[in-house]
Amino acid sequence: MLVLRLLNVVAPAYFLCISLVTFVLQIFVFIPSMFRDPSTTPLFSPALLHGALFLFLSANALGNYVLVIQSSPEDLGKDLNLGKGAEVADWLDGSRSPGSALPSTHFCRLCARVTQRHDHHCFFTGNCIGSRNMRNFIMFCLYTSLACLESLVAGMAYISATLSMSFADPLAFLTLLPHAISQFFSGALLSSEMFVILMLYLWLGIGLACAGFCCHQMLLILRGQTRYQVRKGMVVRARPWRENLREVFGKKWLLGLLIPVQNVESSYRRQKEK
């Protein structure tokens, strides 16, 4: 448990550090290298469009990241019916029966919070993912993967221009790291260029991981399931996939795709109003 609590603190700091490094490289290295002559650069030049795209992806990724943390399940424990005389200790030792609370309600030991439609605990946000912040979490994964893959393309263009190499051969990227390591220790490669090459593989890993996780999460949503329900073998009532999507993304789903907005209409509030 101590290791998990330490990871719950280190992982968000690691994500913020990677985000800061990516922003600095994009703004101060990649984008300026695209301007050959700033005085003759047209309004809709590739460099300006690239900068606008990166800022859009970064703003959505960080905005939804903040909303995942702000939309904390902490308040749910005050509104859920945990049963007469229910205490946190009852959830810790497992003595509280499933019928004493709303379906799929779970108490997280790391957060010390109760979450309705609990999916999992995200260490990179230091928060549990449930009905209240699921939409923002999916948008965070989506835009993080797009920002990483976009940074990967920009970084490859920078390395290609700096080292005068071509990535037309698919094996060029696979052999780039061992070749760069040998050149770095021989003194033929600068430390800044080596750092950018290492970041290329980091962006590729994070981008593919977030994209795969986002696709897996969307598949569960279409089925009306959560990772917690699948892990516990809970039976879920079959519903149309459109209804499952509407429950997570709400009526303003298109607005949530373009700008970070909070999903204020959560299922536990609707059930409370009934």
Side-chain angles (χ1 to χ4, degrees):
M1 180 61 66
L2 180 61
V3 176
L4 294 179
R5 292 186 181 276
L6 181 62
L7 181 62
N8 203 40
V9 177
V10 174
Y14 172 77
F15 170 77
L16 294 176
C17 181
I18 294 298
S19 301
L20 179 61
V21 171
T22 302
F23 183 82
V24 171
L25 286 176
Q26 285 274 12
I27 300 299
F28 297 101
V29 179
F30 298 160
I31 296 179
S33 66
M34 299 179 185
F35 290 93
R36 296 181 179 179
D37 187 3
S39 61
T40 60
T41 301
L43 180 60
F44 296 102
S45 65
L48 291 177
L49 293 178
H50 165 76
L53 177 61
F54 171 73
L55 292 178
F56 171 76
L57 297 177
S58 300
N60 275 277
L62 294 178
N64 283 286
Y65 179 82
V66 172
L67 289 178
V68 169
I69 300 176
Q70 286 185 346
S71 304
S72 170
E74 185 176 5
D75 297 334
L76 294 179
K78 304 175 183 178
D79 298 307
L80 292 177
N81 178 22
L82 302 181
K84 185 177 180 180
E87 301 291 343
V88 172
D90 297 331
W91 291 86
L92 287 172
D93 59 18
S95 61
R96 184 57 51 186
S97 62
S100 62
L102 297 179
S104 303
T105 301
H106 175 69
F107 177 82
C108 178
R109 295 172 178 266
L110 294 175
C111 295
R113 300 166 180 168
V114 179
T115 311
Q116 184 192 353
R117 287 193 61 81
H118 175 83
D119 189 87
H120 69 284
H121 180 87
C122 177
F123 288 97
F124 285 98
T125 61
N127 202 3
C128 278
I129 308 301
S131 60
R132 196 175 181 185
N133 53 10
M134 175 61 74
R135 183 179 71 174
N136 295 120
F137 177 75
I138 294 177
M139 291 295 100
F140 159 67
C141 291
L142 174 63
Y143 279 105
T144 298
S145 64
L146 293 177
C148 287
L149 296 178
E150 193 274 342
S151 299
L152 173 64
V153 173
M156 291 175 62
Y158 173 78
I159 291 297
S160 178
T162 303
L163 302 182
S164 300
M165 63 177 301
S166 174
F167 288 97
D169 185 4
L171 297 178
F173 184 79
L174 298 178
T175 59
L176 175 62
L177 183 59
H179 182 66
I181 292 177
S182 62
Q183 283 191 331
F184 176 74
F185 285 105
S186 63
L189 191 66
L190 299 177
S191 57
S192 59
E193 297 171 345
M194 184 64 194
F195 179 75
V196 172
I197 292 175
L198 292 176
M199 290 297 299
L200 293 181
Y201 290 90
L202 184 61
W203 287 326
L204 177 63
I206 295 177
L208 293 179
C210 289
F213 193 87
C214 184
C215 293
H216 175 68
Q217 203 71 41
M218 285 297 301
L219 180 61
L220 291 178
I221 291 176
L222 291 174
R223 295 176 177 177
Q225 294 178 309
T226 63
R227 293 179 61 187
Y228 178 75
Q229 291 173 336
V230 173
R231 187 170 66 252
K232 295 296 182 179
M234 297 181 179
V235 179
V236 180
R237 180 173 60 90
R239 295 187 306 176
W241 62 270
R242 288 187 178 88
E243 185 177 345
N244 294 329
L245 286 177
R246 191 180 303 112
E247 183 181 9
V248 174
F249 293 93
K251 298 179 180 179
K252 301 179 180 179
W253 62 272
L254 183 58
L255 182 63
L257 289 176
L258 300 177
I259 59 175
V261 291
Q262 187 174 2
N263 191 8
V264 295
E265 185 184 5
S266 56
S267 58
Y268 89 96
R269 289 182 180 177
R270 293 197 301 269
Q271 192 161 355
K272 183 181 178 182
E273 292 175 357
K274 294 180 181 179

